[in-house]
Amino acid sequence: MSRFHSYLNSSSAILSAYDGSEPFASCLKKYFALNKKFGSRDRKTIAHLCYCSFRTGKLFSKDPLEDRVLKSLLLCSEGQNEILEQLRPGWNSMSLMSAPEKYSLLSHGGRLDNIFPWTTELSKGINAEEFALSFLIQPDLFLRIRPGYTQQVVRKLKDAGILFDLVTETCVRLSNSTKVEEVIEINKEAVIQDHSSQRIEKFLQDYKLKTTNNKLSIWDCCAASGGKSILAIDTVGNIELSVSDIRESILINLRKRFKEAGITKYRSFLADLTKPNLQPPTPDIDLIIADVPCTGSGTWARTPEQLYFFDEKKIDHYAELQKKILTNITGSMKPGSFLLYITCSVFKKENEEAIAFLKKEFHLQCLKMESLIGYDKKADTMFACLLQKSYPGAPS
């Protein structure tokens, strides 16, 4: 019994001290570095208790912290739990019930709405209840197999005894804790890329079909680690690639990743897209990929502390930032060129309203727009839209 009380006390102490100012994974790492008495199993259990507490948002925020942790553990459990059996056996008997049934009993008829309370802000097509319930489950890990490596990657995973699901010929689903980097050559043979992010391939294929140039000039203007750039190379093929980001440290990581991926022909440069008079890498850009800074709300099931500490004012902050970026990069577009706008947000102000802004202010035509639902697949939820700049005199 003392071991289970220790887990509960430790998770409660960590949660009491955490204020959301840094990634929770970093906070845990520091805590365990100072408390070396915990073994691997102990660390995993304590971390799980903490993350369960974040997954339920503010549902139990008025409860004593230990009750909040255990109630959250119950909602996130899909079967009998040893900790609950020892500390709350009455609750453990409810483990096989659905999450709404568990919560109704815990709260005497309450509903799960407050896991994600910003339902009026959601983009079209997102089911508020299903999205809220998805926070109770850790998303899966996904690989995108690069061209020519499918048989090799599948064979290596099988030989290593790793359980996996081949969702498509190139998309692999694995347990989130799988150490795939010990089995395959990451970035060369396959990239770690969420299921919804891989679906951006369809937008790139549509773009390719609408162009006639032999070698296309593509600018990934918010490149970050370069995942969309690698996808563009694998999908479109023969391209002249430019990548930019506001942070040199990010570009250093990108260059390392590109080297592992065998990508050598590209230009990279620092760019603050919020500044006016932005200079494009070349005056003849065919496609701008803008995976813009956003709330990241479609990925919070991976980092649920962001759900717990989210301030609704940030929606307007990011919406305005995105408009500023879009205003500056559209100046680099020639008539007939394309813009692929991407967010990992579920908020309409960052998604459909940004597209409405582009159509009204810059005469861009929306060719394909979609909320990329991932909450029903243990994946992220994203948004993407492919637009084209009209020729002078063309109807808007």
Side-chain angles (χ1 to χ4, degrees):
M1 179 75 78
S2 60
R3 172 163 59 95
F4 300 105
H5 277 299
S6 175
Y7 291 153
L8 182 57
N9 291 337
S10 295
S11 61
S12 297
I14 295 169
L15 291 169
S16 295
Y18 181 65
D19 62 4
S21 60
E22 64 176 330
F24 188 63
S26 300
C27 173
L28 280 177
K29 186 175 181 180
K30 293 175 184 177
Y31 179 83
F32 291 133
L34 293 172
N35 295 272
K36 300 184 184 299
K37 63 181 179 179
F38 296 111
S40 175
R41 181 185 176 187
D42 300 328
R43 295 194 298 271
K44 185 176 181 180
T45 302
I46 293 168
H48 180 63
L49 287 172
C50 292
Y51 277 114
C52 284
S53 182
F54 291 133
R55 290 190 179 283
T56 57
K58 299 293 179 66
L59 283 183
F60 307 117
S61 59
K62 294 181 180 179
D63 292 358
L65 186 52
E66 291 187 357
D67 277 357
R68 170 187 150 195
V69 172
L70 293 175
K71 286 181 177 181
S72 297
L73 175 63
L74 172 60
L75 284 189
C76 295
S77 296
E78 298 180 311
Q80 297 284 309
N81 185 280
E82 192 177 19
I83 296 176
L84 289 173
E85 181 60 36
Q86 294 296 324
L87 301 182
R88 295 289 192 280
W91 292 356
N92 197 37
S93 64
M94 297 188 281
S95 294
L96 296 177
M97 296 179 179
S98 69
E101 288 174 328
K102 294 176 193 175
Y103 185 62
S104 180
L105 290 173
L106 288 174
S107 60
H108 307 292
R111 294 170 57 85
L112 282 167
D113 297 0
N114 284 336
I115 288 180
F116 187 89
W118 308 284
T119 55
T120 59
E121 299 286 347
L122 286 173
S123 282
K124 185 179 180 181
I126 294 176
N127 184 297
E129 183 179 0
E130 291 181 17
F131 181 60
L133 288 173
S134 73
F135 284 104
L136 302 178
I137 304 170
Q138 171 71 31
D140 284 331
L141 174 70
F142 293 89
L143 294 178
R144 181 178 64 81
I145 305 176
R146 301 195 64 205
Y149 287 101
T150 298
Q151 292 184 354
Q152 190 168 323
V153 169
V154 169
R155 185 182 69 251
K156 285 185 174 183
L157 293 174
K158 286 181 177 178
D159 290 347
I162 293 175
L163 296 177
F164 67 94
D165 174 28
L166 199 59
V167 181
T168 68
E169 287 186 2
T170 58
C171 180
V172 182
R173 179 199 304 274
L174 308 106
S175 166
N176 193 268
S177 59
T178 308
K179 298 186 182 298
V180 291
E181 68 278 3
E182 297 177 358
V183 179
I184 65 173
E185 294 185 67
I186 295 297
N187 295 323
K188 177 183 177 182
E189 297 175 333
V191 295
I192 297 173
Q193 190 167 49
D194 182 77
H195 183 276
S196 294
S197 190
Q198 293 186 40
R199 291 168 63 190
I200 298 297
E201 178 184 20
K202 297 295 185 183
F203 289 80
L204 291 167
Q205 288 173 342
D206 282 1
Y207 159 68
K208 185 178 180 180
L209 289 172
K210 295 178 185 298
T211 58
T212 56
N213 294 356
N214 291 325
K215 187 168 186 176
L216 300 165
S217 178
I218 297 179
W219 176 24
D220 189 352
C221 64
C222 306
S225 62
K228 300 300 188 304
S229 290
I230 299 175
L231 181 61
I233 288 172
D234 291 348
T235 304
V236 182
N238 186 27
I239 65 173
E240 181 182 310
L241 176 65
S242 299
V243 294
S244 63
D245 200 277
I246 194 172
R247 300 152 293 180
E248 178 62 29
S249 59
I250 294 296
L251 289 178
I252 290 172
N253 292 333
L254 176 147
R255 292 173 193 129
K256 177 178 180 295
R257 189 180 187 190
F258 276 14
K259 184 177 180 181
E260 294 169 348
I263 299 170
T264 57
K265 295 181 179 180
Y266 64 96
R267 61 166 64 90
S268 64
F269 62 101
L270 287 172
D272 183 348
L273 304 181
T274 66
K275 302 296 184 184
N277 302 316
L278 179 68
Q279 294 299 314
T282 169
D284 199 32
I285 299 292
D286 296 300
L287 169 68
I288 299 176
I289 300 174
D291 190 351
V292 295
C294 68
T295 57
S297 45
T299 69
W300 286 349
R302 298 188 186 278
T303 53
E305 68 270 23
Q306 295 188 51
L307 166 70
Y308 186 84
F309 285 98
F310 182 66
D311 181 350
E312 189 175 355
K313 294 177 183 176
K314 289 185 178 179
I315 301 175
D316 287 329
H317 164 76
Y318 278 106
E320 290 304 312
L321 176 65
Q322 289 150 7
K323 286 180 180 178
K324 187 178 291 187
I325 289 172
L326 291 171
T327 296
N328 291 332
I329 64 175
T330 50
S332 306
M333 296 181 68
K334 61 184 180 181
S337 63
F338 296 81
L339 170 67
L340 178 52
Y341 178 79
I342 306 167
T343 76
C344 50
S345 172
V346 296
F347 295 125
K348 58 189 175 185
K349 285 184 179 178
E350 300 183 90
N351 298 337
E352 294 96 333
E353 292 186 17
I355 301 308
F357 169 76
L358 284 170
K359 291 168 65 178
K360 178 182 178 182
E361 300 295 331
F362 301 102
H363 307 292
L364 298 185
Q365 293 180 312
C366 175
L367 304 178
K368 178 182 177 71
M369 181 170 70
E370 185 178 357
S371 288
L372 303 170
I373 305 300
Y375 51 77
D376 58 347
K377 306 174 186 69
K378 295 182 73 175
D380 299 338
T381 292
M382 299 177 61
F383 174 87
C385 183
L386 180 66
L387 305 104
Q388 186 174 26
K389 187 175 180 64
S390 301
Y391 286 92
S396 58

